[in-house]
Amino acid sequence: MTEARRGQLVFDGNFESGNLGSVKQLNECEYDIEIAPDTNNARYRVWFYFSVTNARAGQRAIFHITNFSKTKSLYREGMTPVVSSSSRPKWQRISEKNVFYYRCPRNNNNWVMSFLFAFDSETDVFFFAYCYPYTYVSLQKYLCAVDAKRHPFWSREVLCKTLHGYNLDLVTISSPGNTSPQPFFQPKRNVVCITARVHPGESPSSFICQGLMEYLTAHTEEAQTLRDALVFKIVPMLNPDGVEFGNYRCSTMGVDLNRCWLLSEDHWMVPTIAATKKLLLDLHDSPEYNLDFFIDLHAHSTMMNCFMFGNSVADVTELEKALVFPRLLEMNFPDFSFANSRFDSDASKAGTGRRALLDMLTSTHCYTLEVSFFGAKSPIKPQPYNTQHYIDLGRALGATFLDYYQLRDKDKRKQRSSSSPSDHSN
């Protein structure tokens, strides 16, 4: 095989979460790039993640992403792709001045996203992606690192195997006494269940989930108070197969798992949803637990800030209760928009976790938490998010449970007690 001459760019998407359909060189510096559709579902083409090598130092190139399946996009608002390299692994957004989203006459007037990039190294491998990647291996490394600390309040188990043999992990975070059998006369323990990454391309949800786990496992009074009061059940990646194969929305069977919550618990095509639903139903029916919250974490491709979707209910008192948590989250995270939050009974959402579980889990608060792929609105110009913003949202989510369960006063009393002198004698 003939080796490419220096400056003849070499593209690759054959790695974990990679997505590269085809590349066509137009001239010395321009390339048309097509996104590969989701596995077994040609409808979704949004997530891309590819590498480029063999560039000359100082070489400039223009990349045209030509086949997005969604025309309404945050690229219209100023969002840009992200880039990293082998010597600079920290992802950063490409400058807004070098990114253009427009109807392209050369491509039948379809929407195209073009970006200019200047390569500054001949030895680096450069990576480009729709948003900050968070792979299955990234999750396993994080979970293994926490496992190694042997926290008494942390446990991890495998709920099931995916169709491709990956683990569906379940993390439990709570003080040891909360997860052991209790006498029948003890009050039920409140459980909060969090799920993420049902849509594999929505990588910000994984950073949110990691931020929440970091907050709950910290050696702080706030975290200890939450662990003493609540049991957190976290499924950090509902669709490992889709993540691994670089899909945007579907499993490798071409199925949108967030439309499958009404399927039977033994349906072979959706083992991760079936196993998670069984977990939730078992917790709901348990005499020892009160499943208080189900929150599914997502990222949104057309809206700014972060917000929640909830269910509309006929009972006004129940609706008012459902509004409390989003209001409190708005107090803990300034970018949260209660105004953008919606409470509906849209028939098209019937198979989602939030909607389907409403009827299965009586008295459980069911929400979808959404965050923008791009960033937050501001008076002057949008403020792009980085991975730390998403992690901070996860921490704010954890802090909001302190407010919801009115635990902050208890936390303050505990701090005062620990700081009071035990012996006042001279």
Side-chain angles (χ1 to χ4, degrees), residues 76-91:
R76 297 189 194 184
E77 309 298 326
M79 187 175 86
T80 66
V82 296
V83 60
S84 71
S85 73
S86 50
S87 68
R88 288 155 294 185
K90 184 176 180 180
W91 290 91

Side-chain angles (χ1 to χ4, degrees), residues 97-132:
K97 67 182 181 181
N98 292 334
V99 180
F100 309 91
Y101 190 66
Y102 58 99
R103 288 190 180 276
C104 181
R106 186 171 55 82
N107 285 280
N108 298 319
N109 221 32
N110 291 323
W111 288 91
V112 170
M113 188 272 291
S114 299
F115 62 97
L116 169 69
F117 189 78
F119 296 91
D120 59 2
S121 170
E122 296 190 352
T123 58
D124 266 12
V125 180
F126 292 84
F127 297 90
F128 301 92
Y130 177 76
C131 193
Y132 308 103

Side-chain angles (χ1 to χ4, degrees), residues 12 20 87 144 154 213 223 276 332 334 338 367 369 389 393 406:
D12 185 25
L20 177 67
S87 68
C144 288
W154 165 280
M213 290 188 285
T276 305
N332 284 299
F338 185 82
Y367 300 97
L369 175 60
H389 287 100
L393 173 56
Q406 299 180 325

